[in-house]
Amino acid sequence: MKPRHKKLVIIASAVTALGVASILVLNAFQSNLVFFFSPSQVVAKEAPIGKSFRIGGLVAEGSVQRDDRSTTVRFAVTDTAQTIPVVYTGILPDLFKEGKGVVAQGKISANGIFEADEVLAKHDENYMPPEAAEALEQAAKAQKASLVQ
Amino acid sequence: MSINWFKYSSPASFYSLAGKITPIFAFAAVILLVAGLYIGFFVAPTDFQQGEAYRIIFIHVPAAWMSMFLYVVMAFWAGIGLAFNTRLSSMFATAIAPTGAMFTFIALWTGALWGKPMWGTWWVWDARLTSELILLFLYIGFMSLQAAIDDPRRADKAGAIIALVGVVNIPIIYFSVQWWNTLHQGASVSVNQAPSMATTMLVGMLVMVFASWMYSIAVILKRTRVIILERESHTAWVAELQKKGTVQ
């Protein structure tokens, strides 16, 4: 082997070793890299209950109740398997909507309600004109209706 | 017909080649930029959930892609320079860093501007945002380390090591949205599935990506030429250029 080839092999193996090391480190930190917990994880007590943490999921359909005299909002976060009630006082992001993604930070109170002090909207990776979105919605409704029959 | 490509690994012949082709890329960049921005702002439809605010995607995504891509190219050439002691490869890597850092900064900045109205926050420490911030630090680290070492050959070697170590961050950025749950959404465009974007939006974004490519090539070639002149200033061919007054 020529010296420069040897050098290349050494560099390549060093980079590979580094890659493997980082995979192992990331694996070890897996649980700390979680940005939010799903309602199912909260119910299974996988979330750091008692401390402040984030829950993420969809805003349950029909769950949003706004207080008339304050900015307090009650809603539920669901991952379709489990649902956690949330209460939040403050301004909601524009994309906050029933059936859409949400990430809330706060604590679970003694009565099982998640008291959020920050609510963020998590949107999906779909981009389309409103007409297309409407057409998709209509199609989904039609399909649902035909399934019921 | 065979072209002796190795001819262009000599700084002197690369200098003249780069000088000839740079204007072509610069011209293509301007045309594509105008076309891309026009499609992005006037042709592409409004988005069903984000309204007009989504249009920042035409800057944000090309910048974010370029920030990762340029890093890989930079690390590749830095590694080649380290392994084979080829001067031009290292100069090329050095020339890429500022452009890569600029795109990383644009990606982070436009991301913050986009995050505030859509998510409700400028910044969160989720895996995608944090790893992209680390990318910016890697670029800055590469540049400052090279600037701190006076001997260019040693600076090249030290920089190459940072660049190669930092490569592990690239797959982390790219796959962060799949590996962990993040506030940042998943990829709209990827190799193994149909893009989840309306066609005009996608076209506008891809035109902007090509514009960024052309811009990067033009700027990096130009910067490489400057680095060549600086480092080869003791050679006969640079003296010749200066005598002729053709150093631009």
Side-chain angles (χ1 to χ4, degrees):
Chain A
M1 222 191 307
K2 284 187 206 160
R4 57 178 182 171
H5 289 153
K6 205 172 155 190
K7 220 168 165 186
L8 184 68
V9 171
I10 293 173
I11 294 171
S13 29
V15 171
T16 316
L18 197 77
V20 173
S22 359
I23 291 171
L24 294 176
V25 169
L26 287 175
N27 245 324
F29 287 130
Q30 186 80 354
S31 55
N32 293 324
L33 281 165
V34 168
F35 188 66
F36 59 79
F37 295 88
S38 68
S40 293
Q41 283 175 306
V42 175
V43 170
K45 307 243 187 285
E46 282 170 39
I49 291 158
K51 281 197 232 155
S52 176
F53 66 96
R54 295 191 189 88
I55 59 166
L58 300 173
V59 182
E61 295 281 355
S63 70
V64 178
Q65 293 171 343
R66 285 172 204 269
D67 193 278
D68 287 340
R69 278 180 296 174
S70 69
T71 55
T72 301
V73 185
R74 290 170 184 278
F75 58 95
V77 174
T78 178
D79 58 1
T80 66
Q82 299 289 347
T83 303
I84 303 274
V86 180
V87 58
Y88 171 67
T89 303
I91 314 272
L92 290 166
D94 288 354
L95 288 186
F96 180 89
K97 222 174 136 190
E98 287 181 3
K100 295 286 178 190
V102 71
V103 174
Q105 174 155 30
K107 270 185 187 172
I108 292 249
S109 66
N111 51 11
I113 294 174
F114 190 86
E115 289 170 353
D117 37 48
E118 186 182 38
V119 172
L120 304 175
K122 178 173 163 65
H123 61 80
D124 59 25
E125 65 276 21
N126 296 310
Y127 297 92
M128 58 183 126
E131 306 85 60
E134 207 168 290
L136 279 181
E137 206 172 305
Q138 295 291 343
K141 263 186 202 160
Q143 201 176 17
K144 225 181 205 175
S146 68
L147 281 177
V148 172
Q149 279 165 6
Chain B
M1 193 184 82
S2 85
I3 302 170
N4 182 12
W5 290 106
F6 282 106
K7 185 183 145 197
Y8 294 111
S9 65
S10 127
S13 37
F14 183 84
Y15 180 86
S16 70
L17 174 74
K20 278 181 212 130
I21 58 178
T22 304
I24 305 171
F25 291 108
F27 180 71
V30 173
I31 300 290
L32 287 168
L33 185 74
V34 171
L37 287 177
Y38 180 77
I39 298 174
F41 282 105
F42 300 109
V43 182
T46 309
D47 180 57
F48 75 112
Q49 53 182 358
Q50 302 191 22
E52 303 298 340
Y54 93 95
R55 290 184 199 278
I56 205 161
I57 201 172
F58 297 110
I59 311 275
H60 179 75
V61 172
W65 282 358
M66 289 311 291
S67 71
M68 292 187 278
F69 177 70
L70 286 177
Y71 192 90
V72 175
V73 178
M74 179 183 89
F76 173 79
W77 286 113
I80 294 287
L82 186 64
F84 301 126
N85 260 325
T86 43
R87 284 173 301 157
L88 186 60
S89 335
S90 302
M91 294 185 205
F92 201 55
T94 306
I96 292 173
T99 306
M102 183 200 79
F103 277 118
T104 315
F105 181 77
I106 294 178
L108 289 166
W109 191 254
T110 53
L113 291 179
W114 197 0
K116 187 62 188 171
M118 289 305 128
W119 297 343
T121 180
W122 302 103
W123 182 263
V124 286
W125 292 100
D126 84 344
R128 170 56 73 79
L129 279 64
T130 309
S131 53
E132 182 75 10
L133 183 66
I134 291 172
L135 183 69
L136 181 64
F137 292 153
L138 282 169
Y139 275 121
I140 294 173
F142 177 88
M143 289 189 289
S144 29
L145 185 68
Q146 288 209 322
I149 302 173
D150 287 332
D151 175 15
R153 305 294 292 144
R154 283 185 53 217
D156 285 344
K157 282 184 187 150
I161 291 168
I162 283 209
L164 287 169
V165 168
V167 167
V168 288
N169 190 37
I170 299 296
I172 295 178
I173 301 175
Y174 188 81
F175 292 108
S176 54
V177 290
Q178 290 175 29
W179 291 346
W180 304 292
N181 48 24
T182 52
L183 185 61
H184 196 287
Q185 72 283 6
S188 298
V189 181
S190 64
V191 208
N192 47 14
Q193 65 194 40
S196 56
M197 281 177 92
T199 317
T200 352
M201 297 174 178
L202 182 66
V203 169
M205 203 172 85
L206 293 180
V207 171
M208 287 299 287
V209 171
F210 287 122
S212 316
W213 271 58
M214 295 300 127
Y215 164 82
S216 305
I217 295 172
V219 170
I220 290 165
L221 286 179
K222 184 83 191 165
R223 199 177 288 124
T224 312
R225 290 184 91 211
V226 174
I227 295 172
I228 290 175
L229 279 187
E230 210 175 272
R231 292 209 193 164
E232 306 281 294
S233 54
H234 57 278
T235 60
W237 72 271
V238 175
E240 189 81 2
L241 278 184
Q242 270 170 332
K243 217 186 285 168
K244 278 194 262 170
T246 46
V247 175
Q248 292 144 9

